[in-house]
Amino acid sequence: MLAGLQILVFLLAVVAAVAFVASRLGLASPILLVAAGVAIAMAPGVPPLVLEPEFILLLVLPPVIYISAIAMSWREFQFNLQPILVLAIGCVVFTTIAVSAATNWLLGWPWAVGFVLGAIVSPPDVLAPLAIARRMRLPRRIRVILEGEGLANDATALVLYRFAVAAVSVGSFSLAQAGETFTIIIVSEIVWGVGVGWTMLRLRRFMRDPRIEITLSLITPFLAYWPPEHLGGSGVIATVATGLYISWNGPRLISAATRLQGVFFWDFFIYLIEGLVFLFTGLQAQALFARIQNHSLYDLAASAALVSLVVIVARFIWIFPHAYLPRWLIPRARRQPAPPWQGLFIISFTGVRGIVSLATALAIPITTARGEPFPYRDSIFFLAFCVVMVTLVFQGAMLPWVIRKLGVSKAGMEERLLDRAEEIQARRSAVEASTARLAALVAEQDVPEEATLSFQAQQDYFLSRIRMKCDIEEERRALTELHDEIELELIAAERDAINGMLREGKLTDEARRRIERELDLREADVLNRRKERLGQGDAPRQERGAREM
């Protein structure tokens, strides 16, 4: 137990160190974390660290899927449901069949075993590509499609995986039964997920204590995921349904205090999960090499290259014809504008596999239902690991360059400027509505003149802040930056004064913490404005989701 805690502390230190180096070098931290994991695993004297599949599938996957669903806009998810399902179901099935066909024709594997490998490597990871592309300012629709696919494709792949493993173990497979079971799983998990979301929101509204509410929010993804998974489903669709329901209904039922604290809790929690997941991916290298010592290195390398190529190319083959062929063959489909090829290329290229594929490969049973060793078990794990490494390192490292070359980030920047204009107009309308309400209250009630002047001054301040956000001239921008610098200096002076009074015994610690919290909120507001001016206004998806927790 103590040794396990020591290893965990060491790995957390590695995550922090690698993230620091990545930020200084301007590199994507997921790739460096995987490389660090491989280096640690292959260092002399390091004991093998085998990742338990239950750790990923039961403990890591639920909160990651849940917070991604929370951050997803239900309106945008619904609007892009068709391309999301085309990728999350159609592309996963197509890739599974392509991998199975390739391993059968070129490697001589049985079809059922190939389906096991195909189901394992078919779903792209939701963490890695978005962690890399998040700072590249992709257009919103591309981000929504990728996030939506990442939320739903694991469910398709896990169901296919279970059917494929059963086919290998028992020796039979029924397509009709598989389709019927898949439909039942989808419908029942949606019902369960919405029910969990409805229940937890009402329970949290009844509690009205931020600490209890955040605790319940932490329980929610596991409550949505575990029962369906235990009953033979995937749990993924239920967790997505819960997250989307809370994302749509949470702002009306969750208190402001809970949202403020949820931002920090979920941001930190998901940050640690993502870091450890990428690090654990690299740490599997030692277990991998221990399993393949009796295999031909040339055959393994050739097989890995083949499967990786099939996985990458299959995604392109599925996406481009599906986007353009209906418009060429169906007259009614021609009325809709064809999507630009640059966006389709980005979606096709962002097919990075991740830790879920490794965890699923590790979960393959040792023996079949007949008591025989599961065929090609070690080879499946090796090929799954290679696909993860190739897609993560090659596609992940190339993704920022591809986005810049295709000019997609420019379109994303133009879209962000339009969104910014809409946001400023919404802020102005909100302040004008509150100003009108203030005038009505003054007319209806006997409001003291001093209070009226105070509120009017406050409203004028809010409007001036909005006007400062609208100014794009260099002189006005410089004035805004000077204003924020002075405000930070004033906040620092207040902190020094408060700390001095505390040391002199003129202020209690409890009072100091209340004042300090107000100063922290003011400083966070200033730093957020500065971040927006630097063009980094897109919050990470876990932070966006935490605002609705």
Side-chain angles (χ1 to χ4, degrees), residues 143-256:
R143 295 200 310 266
V144 170
I145 291 174
L146 290 175
E147 288 193 41
E149 177 198 9
L151 291 176
N153 61 10
D154 287 333
T156 305
L158 289 175
V159 172
L160 289 176
Y161 165 79
R162 284 176 177 152
F163 281 121
V165 169
V168 173
S169 297
V170 179
S172 62
F173 175 75
S174 171
L175 181 61
Q177 182 183 3
E180 180 182 353
T181 304
F182 182 74
T183 303
I184 294 174
I185 288 174
I186 296 297
V187 174
S188 59
E189 287 198 19
I190 291 175
V191 173
W192 172 256
V194 171
V196 170
W198 185 91
T199 302
M200 297 305 287
L201 274 181
R202 269 66 188 178
L203 187 60
R204 289 168 59 178
R205 188 180 187 185
F206 174 76
M207 295 299 180
R208 285 298 180 184
D209 185 319
R211 291 168 296 186
I212 300 177
E213 288 189 63
I214 292 176
T215 302
L216 291 175
S217 75
L218 182 61
I219 297 172
T220 300
F222 301 105
L223 181 61
Y225 186 94
W226 284 351
E229 197 277 340
H230 179 71
L231 295 175
S234 69
V236 174
I237 296 298
T239 309
V240 171
T242 300
L244 289 174
Y245 182 88
I246 292 179
S247 173
W248 182 255
N249 298 279
R252 298 184 294 105
L253 301 174
I254 298 175
S255 65

Side-chain angles (χ1 to χ4, degrees), residues 21 134 164 179 195 216 235 278 326 344 379 514 525:
V21 172
R134 190 180 295 147
L216 291 175
F278 292 124
L344 293 177
S379 298
R514 286 196 296 267
D525 184 42

Side-chain angles (χ1 to χ4, degrees), residues 2 36 56 127 135 161 197 273 329 338 353 361 365 385 392 450 481 533:
L2 180 59
I56 294 295
L127 289 180
R135 54 197 173 103
Y161 165 79
I273 287 180
L329 302 177
R353 273 58 181 178
F385 183 88
L392 179 61
E450 183 178 354
E481 292 172 1
R533 287 197 303 274

Side-chain angles (χ1 to χ4, degrees), residues 333-498:
R334 297 172 187 168
R335 302 174 186 173
Q336 300 178 357
W341 72 268
Q342 294 90 341
L344 293 177
F345 191 93
I346 293 296
I347 294 175
S348 303
F349 195 80
T350 313
V352 179
R353 273 58 181 178
I355 195 66
V356 175
S357 294
L358 281 183
T360 310
L362 286 167
I364 297 175
I366 298 176
T367 60
T368 65
R370 299 183 294 270
E372 302 171 352
F374 198 95
Y376 300 93
R377 187 174 186 271
D378 291 344
S379 298
I380 291 174
F381 177 71
F382 172 80
L383 294 179
F385 183 88
C386 290
V387 169
V388 171
M389 291 296 104
V390 169
T391 57
L392 179 61
V393 175
F394 169 67
Q395 291 182 282
M398 291 287 292
L399 184 57
W401 180 82
V402 170
I403 292 173
R404 286 193 296 268
K405 281 296 182 181
L406 295 180
V408 179
S409 58
K410 181 180 179 181
M413 176 61 72
E414 293 174 353
E415 181 183 78
R416 182 176 175 274
L417 292 176
L418 293 175
D419 292 343
R420 187 71 176 143
E422 293 178 357
E423 176 189 339
I424 291 173
Q425 180 58 43
R427 290 176 182 268
R428 182 184 290 111
S429 299
V431 174
E432 290 173 352
S434 64
T435 302
R437 181 56 182 162
L438 174 62
L441 289 174
V442 171
E444 296 170 1
Q445 305 176 16
D446 186 17
V447 181
E449 182 180 359
E450 183 178 354
T452 302
L453 293 176
S454 175
F455 281 119
Q456 288 176 345
Q458 179 177 280
Q459 297 300 99
D460 291 340
Y461 170 71
F462 290 152
L463 285 174
S464 67
R465 286 270 304 276
I466 294 173
R467 283 193 293 269
M468 292 172 68
K469 289 176 180 289
C470 296
D471 289 327
I472 59 175
E473 293 84 1
E474 191 64 31
E475 182 179 351
R476 296 295 300 176
R477 286 179 61 89
L479 180 60
T480 302
E481 292 172 1
L482 178 61
H483 176 277
D484 288 346
E485 289 292 338
I486 293 176
E487 188 168 356
L488 289 175
E489 291 290 339
L490 297 179
I491 292 172
E494 291 186 48
R495 288 189 193 279
D496 292 339
I498 294 302

